[in-house]
PDB file of all heavy atoms in Angstrom:
ATOM      1  N   GLY A  20     167.672  46.614 162.748  1.00 98.00           N
ATOM      2  CA  GLY A  20     168.353  46.565 161.450  1.00 98.00           C
ATOM      3  C   GLY A  20     169.422  45.430 161.351  1.00 98.00           C
ATOM      4  O   GLY A  20     170.331  45.504 160.635  1.00 98.00           O
ATOM      5  N   ALA A  22     169.111  42.459 160.204  1.00 98.00           N
ATOM      6  CA  ALA A  22     168.986  41.316 159.163  1.00 98.00           C
ATOM      7  C   ALA A  22     170.135  41.333 158.179  1.00 98.00           C
ATOM      8  O   ALA A  22     170.426  40.257 157.617  1.00 98.00           O
ATOM      9  CB  ALA A  22     167.753  41.510 158.406  1.00 98.00           C
ATOM     10  N   GLN A  23     170.724  42.443 157.981  1.00 98.00           N
ATOM     11  CA  GLN A  23     171.870  42.554 156.877  1.00 98.00           C
ATOM     12  C   GLN A  23     172.762  43.652 157.113  1.00 98.00           C
ATOM     13  O   GLN A  23     172.629  44.437 158.057  1.00 98.00           O
ATOM     14  CB  GLN A  23     171.114  42.762 155.534  1.00 98.00           C
ATOM     15  CG  GLN A  23     170.383  44.087 155.347  1.00 98.00           C
ATOM     16  CD  GLN A  23     169.692  44.170 154.092  1.00 98.00           C
ATOM     17  OE1 GLN A  23     169.115  43.315 153.516  1.00 98.00           O
ATOM     18  NE2 GLN A  23     169.825  45.391 153.406  1.00 98.00           N
ATOM     19  N   GLY A  24     173.814  43.760 156.346  1.00 98.00           N
ATOM     20  CA  GLY A  24     174.711  44.821 156.305  1.00 98.00           C
ATOM     21  C   GLY A  24     175.427  45.139 157.712  1.00 98.00           C
ATOM     22  O   GLY A  24     175.861  44.268 158.403  1.00 98.00           O
ATOM     23  N   ILE A  25     175.412  46.405 157.985  1.00 98.00           N
ATOM     24  CA  ILE A  25     176.259  46.861 159.180  1.00 98.00           C
ATOM     25  C   ILE A  25     175.547  46.262 160.441  1.00 98.00           C
ATOM     26  O   ILE A  25     176.208  45.774 161.422  1.00 98.00           O
ATOM     27  CB  ILE A  25     176.181  48.389 159.371  1.00 98.00           C
ATOM     28  CG1 ILE A  25     176.919  48.926 158.093  1.00 98.00           C
ATOM     29  CG2 ILE A  25     176.816  48.822 160.632  1.00 98.00           C
ATOM     30  CD1 ILE A  25     176.831  50.514 158.034  1.00 98.00           C
ATOM     31  N   GLY A  26     174.258  46.122 160.523  1.00 98.00           N
ATOM     32  CA  GLY A  26     173.565  45.644 161.750  1.00 98.00           C
ATOM     33  C   GLY A  26     173.885  44.184 162.043  1.00 98.00           C
ATOM     34  O   GLY A  26     173.977  43.659 163.110  1.00 98.00           O
ATOM     35  N   ASP A  44     164.197  43.481 162.887  1.00 98.00           N
ATOM     36  CA  ASP A  44     164.195  43.931 161.563  1.00 98.00           C
ATOM     37  C   ASP A  44     162.895  43.625 160.930  1.00 98.00           C
ATOM     38  O   ASP A  44     161.975  43.168 161.527  1.00 98.00           O
ATOM     39  CB  ASP A  44     165.382  43.352 160.819  1.00 98.00           C
ATOM     40  CG  ASP A  44     165.856  44.171 159.673  1.00 98.00           C
ATOM     41  OD1 ASP A  44     165.053  44.597 158.831  1.00 98.00           O
ATOM     42  OD2 ASP A  44     167.057  44.585 159.590  1.00 98.00           O
ATOM     43  N   LEU A  45     162.857  43.768 159.547  1.00 98.00           N
ATOM     44  CA  LEU A  45     161.574  43.525 158.856  1.00 98.00           C
ATOM     45  C   LEU A  45     161.541  42.136 158.227  1.00 98.00           C
ATOM     46  O   LEU A  45     160.412  41.733 157.826  1.00 98.00           O
ATOM     47  CB  LEU A  45     161.442  44.636 157.675  1.00 98.00           C
ATOM     48  CG  LEU A  45     161.403  45.959 158.121  1.00 98.00           C
ATOM     49  CD1 LEU A  45     161.581  46.920 156.925  1.00 98.00           C
ATOM     50  CD2 LEU A  45     159.912  46.307 158.761  1.00 98.00           C
ATOM     51  N   GLY A  70     159.231  43.389 162.662  1.00 98.00           N
ATOM     52  CA  GLY A  70     158.195  44.453 162.633  1.00 98.00           C
ATOM     53  C   GLY A  70     158.820  45.770 162.203  1.00 98.00           C
ATOM     54  O   GLY A  70     159.932  45.963 162.252  1.00 98.00           O
ATOM     55  N   ASP A  71     157.892  46.686 161.814  1.00 98.00           N
ATOM     56  CA  ASP A  71     158.247  48.038 161.480  1.00 98.00           C
ATOM     57  C   ASP A  71     158.543  48.912 162.681  1.00 98.00           C
ATOM     58  O   ASP A  71     157.612  49.300 163.430  1.00 98.00           O
ATOM     59  CB  ASP A  71     157.196  48.607 160.576  1.00 98.00           C
ATOM     60  CG  ASP A  71     157.501  50.009 160.015  1.00 98.00           C
ATOM     61  OD1 ASP A  71     158.544  50.614 160.563  1.00 98.00           O
ATOM     62  OD2 ASP A  71     156.904  50.432 159.095  1.00 98.00           O
ATOM     63  N   LEU A  72     159.717  49.229 163.040  1.00 99.00           N
ATOM     64  CA  LEU A  72     160.133  49.907 164.219  1.00 99.00           C
ATOM     65  C   LEU A  72     159.829  51.353 164.065  1.00 99.00           C
ATOM     66  O   LEU A  72     160.192  52.074 165.089  1.00 99.00           O
ATOM     67  CB  LEU A  72     161.579  49.563 164.526  1.00 99.00           C
ATOM     68  CG  LEU A  72     161.922  47.998 164.624  1.00 99.00           C
ATOM     69  CD1 LEU A  72     163.322  47.876 164.809  1.00 99.00           C
ATOM     70  CD2 LEU A  72     161.076  47.391 165.840  1.00 99.00           C
ATOM     71  N   SER A  73     159.254  51.828 162.976  1.00 98.00           N
ATOM     72  CA  SER A  73     158.849  53.294 163.026  1.00 98.00           C
ATOM     73  C   SER A  73     157.531  53.460 163.660  1.00 98.00           C
ATOM     74  O   SER A  73     157.021  54.561 163.709  1.00 98.00           O
ATOM     75  CB  SER A  73     158.948  53.858 161.632  1.00 98.00           C
ATOM     76  OG  SER A  73     158.025  53.236 160.698  1.00 98.00           O
ATOM     77  N   CYS A  98     170.315  50.603 164.598  1.00 99.00           N
ATOM     78  CA  CYS A  98     171.012  50.566 163.344  1.00 99.00           C
ATOM     79  C   CYS A  98     170.039  50.552 162.041  1.00 99.00           C
ATOM     80  O   CYS A  98     170.460  50.822 161.023  1.00 99.00           O
ATOM     81  CB  CYS A  98     171.927  49.260 163.235  1.00 99.00           C
ATOM     82  SG  CYS A  98     172.895  49.211 161.822  1.00 99.00           S
ATOM     83  N   ALA A  99     168.776  50.212 162.419  1.00 98.00           N
ATOM     84  CA  ALA A  99     167.797  50.334 161.409  1.00 98.00           C
ATOM     85  C   ALA A  99     167.811  51.746 160.661  1.00 98.00           C
ATOM     86  O   ALA A  99     168.006  52.708 161.387  1.00 98.00           O
ATOM     87  CB  ALA A  99     166.320  50.066 161.981  1.00 98.00           C
ATOM     88  N   GLY A 100     167.724  51.646 159.439  1.00 98.00           N
ATOM     89  CA  GLY A 100     167.850  52.884 158.610  1.00 98.00           C
ATOM     90  C   GLY A 100     168.029  52.681 157.177  1.00 98.00           C
ATOM     91  O   GLY A 100     167.615  51.615 156.675  1.00 98.00           O
ATOM     92  N   GLY A 101     168.712  53.631 156.517  1.00 96.00           N
ATOM     93  CA  GLY A 101     169.000  53.405 155.101  1.00 96.00           C
ATOM     94  C   GLY A 101     168.500  54.609 154.339  1.00 96.00           C
ATOM     95  O   GLY A 101     167.415  55.115 154.640  1.00 96.00           O
ATOM     96  N   ARG A 121     162.319  55.600 158.718  1.00 98.00           N
ATOM     97  CA  ARG A 121     163.341  54.588 158.783  1.00 98.00           C
ATOM     98  C   ARG A 121     164.566  55.136 159.679  1.00 98.00           C
ATOM     99  O   ARG A 121     165.087  54.286 160.418  1.00 98.00           O
ATOM    100  CB  ARG A 121     163.987  54.307 157.418  1.00 98.00           C
ATOM    101  CG  ARG A 121     163.342  53.405 156.603  1.00 98.00           C
ATOM    102  CD  ARG A 121     164.343  53.123 155.479  1.00 98.00           C
ATOM    103  NE  ARG A 121     163.479  52.686 154.262  1.00 98.00           N
ATOM    104  CZ  ARG A 121     164.012  52.746 153.023  1.00 98.00           C
ATOM    105  NH1 ARG A 121     165.183  53.114 152.748  1.00 98.00           N
ATOM    106  NH2 ARG A 121     163.213  52.398 152.113  1.00 98.00           N
ATOM    107  N   ASN A 122     164.991  56.311 159.536  1.00 98.00           N
ATOM    108  CA  ASN A 122     166.158  56.698 160.035  1.00 98.00           C
ATOM    109  C   ASN A 122     166.014  57.480 161.459  1.00 98.00           C
ATOM    110  O   ASN A 122     166.952  57.480 162.222  1.00 98.00           O
ATOM    111  CB  ASN A 122     166.986  57.601 159.118  1.00 98.00           C
ATOM    112  CG  ASN A 122     167.505  56.739 157.869  1.00 98.00           C
ATOM    113  OD1 ASN A 122     168.460  56.068 158.082  1.00 98.00           O
ATOM    114  ND2 ASN A 122     166.822  56.913 156.838  1.00 98.00           N
ATOM    115  N   THR A 125     162.449  55.353 164.020  1.00 99.00           N
ATOM    116  CA  THR A 125     162.992  54.065 164.604  1.00 99.00           C
ATOM    117  C   THR A 125     163.828  54.370 165.808  1.00 99.00           C
ATOM    118  O   THR A 125     163.647  53.635 166.904  1.00 99.00           O
ATOM    119  CB  THR A 125     163.752  53.279 163.572  1.00 99.00           C
ATOM    120  OG1 THR A 125     164.820  54.104 163.113  1.00 99.00           O
ATOM    121  CG2 THR A 125     162.904  52.734 162.405  1.00 99.00           C
ATOM    122  N   LEU A 148     173.370  54.589 164.758  1.00 98.00           N
ATOM    123  CA  LEU A 148     174.123  54.795 163.528  1.00 98.00           C
ATOM    124  C   LEU A 148     173.623  56.053 162.825  1.00 98.00           C
ATOM    125  O   LEU A 148     172.452  56.260 162.502  1.00 98.00           O
ATOM    126  CB  LEU A 148     173.877  53.612 162.538  1.00 98.00           C
ATOM    127  CG  LEU A 148     174.809  52.396 162.626  1.00 98.00           C
ATOM    128  CD1 LEU A 148     176.182  52.753 162.042  1.00 98.00           C
ATOM    129  CD2 LEU A 148     174.941  51.908 164.105  1.00 98.00           C
ATOM    130  N   GLY A 149     174.567  57.045 162.744  1.00 98.00           N
ATOM    131  CA  GLY A 149     174.281  58.279 162.116  1.00 98.00           C
ATOM    132  C   GLY A 149     174.871  58.262 160.629  1.00 98.00           C
ATOM    133  O   GLY A 149     174.911  57.210 159.994  1.00 98.00           O
ATOM    134  N   ALA A 150     175.362  59.430 160.215  1.00 98.00           N
ATOM    135  CA  ALA A 150     175.973  59.465 158.909  1.00 98.00           C
ATOM    136  C   ALA A 150     176.979  60.614 158.784  1.00 98.00           C
ATOM    137  O   ALA A 150     176.678  61.687 159.236  1.00 98.00           O
ATOM    138  CB  ALA A 150     174.967  59.522 157.855  1.00 98.00           C
ATOM    139  N   TYR A 163     168.124  62.559 153.525  1.00 98.00           N
ATOM    140  CA  TYR A 163     168.666  61.605 154.395  1.00 98.00           C
ATOM    141  C   TYR A 163     169.313  62.386 155.597  1.00 98.00           C
ATOM    142  O   TYR A 163     169.238  61.976 156.775  1.00 98.00           O
ATOM    143  CB  TYR A 163     169.704  60.914 153.633  1.00 98.00           C
ATOM    144  CG  TYR A 163     170.515  59.675 154.363  1.00 98.00           C
ATOM    145  CD1 TYR A 163     169.885  58.664 154.918  1.00 98.00           C
ATOM    146  CD2 TYR A 163     171.789  59.779 154.381  1.00 98.00           C
ATOM    147  CE1 TYR A 163     170.522  57.618 155.478  1.00 98.00           C
ATOM    148  CE2 TYR A 163     172.562  58.742 154.987  1.00 98.00           C
ATOM    149  CZ  TYR A 163     171.899  57.726 155.549  1.00 98.00           C
ATOM    150  OH  TYR A 163     172.594  56.629 156.128  1.00 98.00           O
ATOM    151  N   LYS A 167     169.156  61.864 159.561  1.00 98.00           N
ATOM    152  CA  LYS A 167     170.340  61.427 160.380  1.00 98.00           C
ATOM    153  C   LYS A 167     170.807  62.643 161.242  1.00 98.00           C
ATOM    154  O   LYS A 167     171.310  62.436 162.376  1.00 98.00           O
ATOM    155  CB  LYS A 167     171.547  61.005 159.459  1.00 98.00           C
ATOM    156  CG  LYS A 167     171.219  59.646 158.775  1.00 98.00           C
ATOM    157  CD  LYS A 167     171.126  58.561 159.797  1.00 98.00           C
ATOM    158  CE  LYS A 167     171.284  57.199 159.138  1.00 98.00           C
ATOM    159  NZ  LYS A 167     170.907  56.088 160.087  1.00 98.00           N
ATOM    160  N   PRO A 193     179.171  56.585 159.821  1.00 98.00           N
ATOM    161  CA  PRO A 193     180.008  55.987 158.693  1.00 98.00           C
ATOM    162  C   PRO A 193     179.916  56.974 157.443  1.00 98.00           C
ATOM    163  O   PRO A 193     178.917  57.706 157.216  1.00 98.00           O
ATOM    164  CB  PRO A 193     179.361  54.735 158.357  1.00 98.00           C
ATOM    165  CG  PRO A 193     178.236  54.504 159.353  1.00 98.00           C
ATOM    166  CD  PRO A 193     177.885  55.760 159.930  1.00 98.00           C
ATOM    167  N   CYS A 194     180.971  56.845 156.665  1.00 98.00           N
ATOM    168  CA  CYS A 194     180.902  57.314 155.210  1.00 98.00           C
ATOM    169  C   CYS A 194     180.292  56.203 154.394  1.00 98.00           C
ATOM    170  O   CYS A 194     179.731  55.300 154.962  1.00 98.00           O
ATOM    171  CB  CYS A 194     182.318  57.735 154.783  1.00 98.00           C
ATOM    172  SG  CYS A 194     183.533  56.397 154.736  1.00 98.00           S
ATOM    173  N   ALA A 195     180.618  56.226 153.114  1.00 98.00           N
ATOM    174  CA  ALA A 195     180.221  55.114 152.287  1.00 98.00           C
ATOM    175  C   ALA A 195     180.860  53.737 152.850  1.00 98.00           C
ATOM    176  O   ALA A 195     181.969  53.665 153.144  1.00 98.00           O
ATOM    177  CB  ALA A 195     180.613  55.284 150.808  1.00 98.00           C
ATOM    178  N   VAL A 196     179.988  52.727 152.843  1.00 98.00           N
ATOM    179  CA  VAL A 196     180.366  51.380 153.348  1.00 98.00           C
ATOM    180  C   VAL A 196     180.210  50.441 152.277  1.00 98.00           C
ATOM    181  O   VAL A 196     179.379  50.452 151.401  1.00 98.00           O
ATOM    182  CB  VAL A 196     179.558  51.019 154.596  1.00 98.00           C
ATOM    183  CG1 VAL A 196     179.969  49.621 155.127  1.00 98.00           C
ATOM    184  CG2 VAL A 196     179.684  52.094 155.709  1.00 98.00           C
ATOM    185  N   THR A 198     178.914  47.817 150.953  1.00 97.00           N
ATOM    186  CA  THR A 198     177.738  46.923 151.048  1.00 97.00           C
ATOM    187  C   THR A 198     177.302  46.541 149.575  1.00 97.00           C
ATOM    188  O   THR A 198     177.706  47.166 148.732  1.00 97.00           O
ATOM    189  CB  THR A 198     176.472  47.691 151.686  1.00 97.00           C
ATOM    190  OG1 THR A 198     176.244  48.700 150.909  1.00 97.00           O
ATOM    191  CG2 THR A 198     176.865  48.053 153.144  1.00 97.00           C
ATOM    192  N   GLN A 200     174.569  47.349 148.241  1.00 93.00           N
ATOM    193  CA  GLN A 200     173.865  48.398 147.745  1.00 93.00           C
ATOM    194  C   GLN A 200     174.924  49.476 147.132  1.00 93.00           C
ATOM    195  O   GLN A 200     174.635  49.958 146.149  1.00 93.00           O
ATOM    196  CB  GLN A 200     173.135  49.249 148.820  1.00 93.00           C
ATOM    197  CG  GLN A 200     171.906  48.608 149.339  1.00 93.00           C
ATOM    198  CD  GLN A 200     172.261  47.915 150.700  1.00 93.00           C
ATOM    199  OE1 GLN A 200     173.268  47.082 150.791  1.00 93.00           O
ATOM    200  NE2 GLN A 200     171.488  48.168 151.779  1.00 93.00           N
TER     201      GLN A 200
HETATM  202  N1  LIG B   1     175.995  51.701 154.070  1.00 94.92           N
HETATM  203  C1  LIG B   1     176.408  52.964 154.146  1.00 94.92           C
HETATM  204  O1  LIG B   1     177.104  53.339 153.312  1.00 94.92           O
HETATM  205  C2  LIG B   1     175.971  53.832 155.327  1.00 94.92           C
HETATM  206  C3  LIG B   1     176.594  55.084 155.514  1.00 94.92           C
HETATM  207  C4  LIG B   1     176.213  55.896 156.504  1.00 94.92           C
HETATM  208  C5  LIG B   1     175.177  55.427 157.430  1.00 94.92           C
HETATM  209  N2  LIG B   1     174.621  54.205 157.290  1.00 94.92           N
HETATM  210  C6  LIG B   1     173.579  53.826 158.246  1.00 94.92           C
HETATM  211  O2  LIG B   1     174.009  52.617 158.855  1.00 94.92           O
HETATM  212  C7  LIG B   1     172.851  51.744 159.043  1.00 94.92           C
HETATM  213  C8  LIG B   1     173.048  50.350 158.460  1.00 94.92           C
HETATM  214  O3  LIG B   1     173.310  50.612 157.075  1.00 94.92           O
HETATM  215  P1  LIG B   1     173.332  49.386 156.064  1.00 94.92           P
HETATM  216  O4  LIG B   1     174.112  49.835 154.907  1.00 94.92           O
HETATM  217  O5  LIG B   1     173.690  48.131 156.732  1.00 94.92           O
HETATM  218  O6  LIG B   1     171.791  49.340 155.667  1.00 94.92           O
HETATM  219  P2  LIG B   1     170.889  48.160 154.972  1.00 94.92           P
HETATM  220  O7  LIG B   1     169.793  48.780 154.274  1.00 94.92           O
HETATM  221  O8  LIG B   1     171.721  47.061 154.508  1.00 94.92           O
HETATM  222  O9  LIG B   1     170.279  47.621 156.461  1.00 94.92           O
HETATM  223  C9  LIG B   1     169.331  48.371 157.202  1.00 94.92           C
HETATM  224  C10 LIG B   1     168.371  47.547 157.833  1.00 94.92           C
HETATM  225  O10 LIG B   1     167.468  48.255 158.512  1.00 94.92           O
HETATM  226  C11 LIG B   1     166.186  47.642 158.318  1.00 94.92           C
HETATM  227  N3  LIG B   1     165.134  48.685 158.461  1.00 94.92           N
HETATM  228  C12 LIG B   1     164.884  49.795 157.843  1.00 94.92           C
HETATM  229  N4  LIG B   1     163.751  50.342 158.284  1.00 94.92           N
HETATM  230  C13 LIG B   1     163.172  49.628 159.300  1.00 94.92           C
HETATM  231  C14 LIG B   1     162.086  49.639 159.982  1.00 94.92           C
HETATM  232  N5  LIG B   1     161.192  50.635 159.880  1.00 94.92           N
HETATM  233  N6  LIG B   1     161.911  48.726 160.932  1.00 94.92           N
HETATM  234  C15 LIG B   1     162.704  47.740 161.016  1.00 94.92           C
HETATM  235  N7  LIG B   1     163.830  47.598 160.305  1.00 94.92           N
HETATM  236  C16 LIG B   1     164.097  48.450 159.465  1.00 94.92           C
HETATM  237  C17 LIG B   1     166.144  47.132 156.973  1.00 94.92           C
HETATM  238  O11 LIG B   1     165.248  46.146 156.725  1.00 94.92           O
HETATM  239  C18 LIG B   1     167.559  46.651 156.780  1.00 94.92           C
HETATM  240  O12 LIG B   1     167.736  45.285 157.100  1.00 94.92           O
HETATM  241  C19 LIG B   1     171.602  52.662 158.625  1.00 94.92           C
HETATM  242  O13 LIG B   1     171.085  53.296 159.612  1.00 94.92           O
HETATM  243  C20 LIG B   1     172.286  53.471 157.538  1.00 94.92           C
HETATM  244  O14 LIG B   1     171.496  54.663 157.350  1.00 94.92           O
HETATM  245  C21 LIG B   1     174.939  53.394 156.202  1.00 94.92           C
END
Side-chain angles (χ1 to χ4, degrees):
Q23 63 181 43
I25 297 169
D44 207 306
L45 298 166
D71 181 345
L72 305 174
S73 64
C98 186
R121 274 189 210 166
N122 290 286
T125 53
L148 269 289
Y163 181 62
K167 289 297 194 190
C194 62
V196 180
T198 59
Q200 293 97 305

